[in-house]
Amino acid sequence: QVQLVESGGGLVQPGGSLRLSCAASRSIFSINAMGWYRQAPGKQRELVARFTSGDITNYADSVKGRFTLSRDNTVNTVYLRMNSLKPEDTAVYYCHCSYREYDYWGQGTQVTVSS
């Protein structure tokens, strides 16, 4: 079992920055994949960025060059640094991991980009 707790969401102006954190209840070293998804109003949940078991980082085309995924294994935490935020980035952001053939999700944190 893995519990995921997100934090760092909020209201920001277009062009602003925000850093999301996802703390896991166990070591993330053994987790097969871990990253972030988001769901905007009226939209399906979509991949934003994730680390895979092959140590490959995947980014959605819409966030490449603006968002940066990172991790700190010593504190079991994954981060998503979001720069140059746009109104279309507004969504609930969910931390996700795949571990022992199961998927785990955080509760989500709201990110709103508006002037």
Side-chain angles (χ1 to χ4, degrees):
Q1 300 294 314
V2 183
Q3 286 75 51
L4 304 171
V5 180
E6 304 103 329
S7 62
L11 173 65
V12 296
Q13 301 289 320
S17 298
L18 209 57
R19 190 193 194 194
L20 306 182
S21 299
C22 174
S25 63
R26 62 167 294 115
S27 173
I28 61 175
F29 179 79
S30 59
I31 293 177
N32 301 116
M34 192 169 181
W36 293 89
Y37 290 71
R38 68 186 180 187
Q39 187 165 21
K43 300 287 187 177
Q44 297 185 80
R45 190 170 298 187
E46 65 176 352
L47 173 69
V48 178
R50 68 177 175 182
F51 296 112
T52 70
S53 59
D55 199 27
I56 297 171
T57 305
N58 300 122
Y59 293 94
D61 288 340
S62 60
V63 308
K64 286 181 179 177
R66 300 188 297 119
F67 291 10
T68 302
L69 186 67
S70 63
R71 60 188 170 193
D72 187 342
N73 292 337
T74 66
V75 292
N76 302 328
T77 300
V78 170
Y79 306 96
L80 184 68
R81 181 68 183 183
M82 304 182 293
N83 295 325
S84 302
L85 283 163
K86 306 174 181 179
E88 49 263 45
D89 295 317
T90 295
V92 177
Y93 284 70
Y94 296 92
C95 187
H96 164 267
C97 75
S98 177
Y99 177 66
R100 291 184 175 178
E101 305 177 5
Y102 294 94
D103 291 327
Y104 298 89
W105 295 91
Q107 292 292 321
T109 184
Q110 177 70 48
V111 172
T112 302
V113 185
S114 180
S115 59

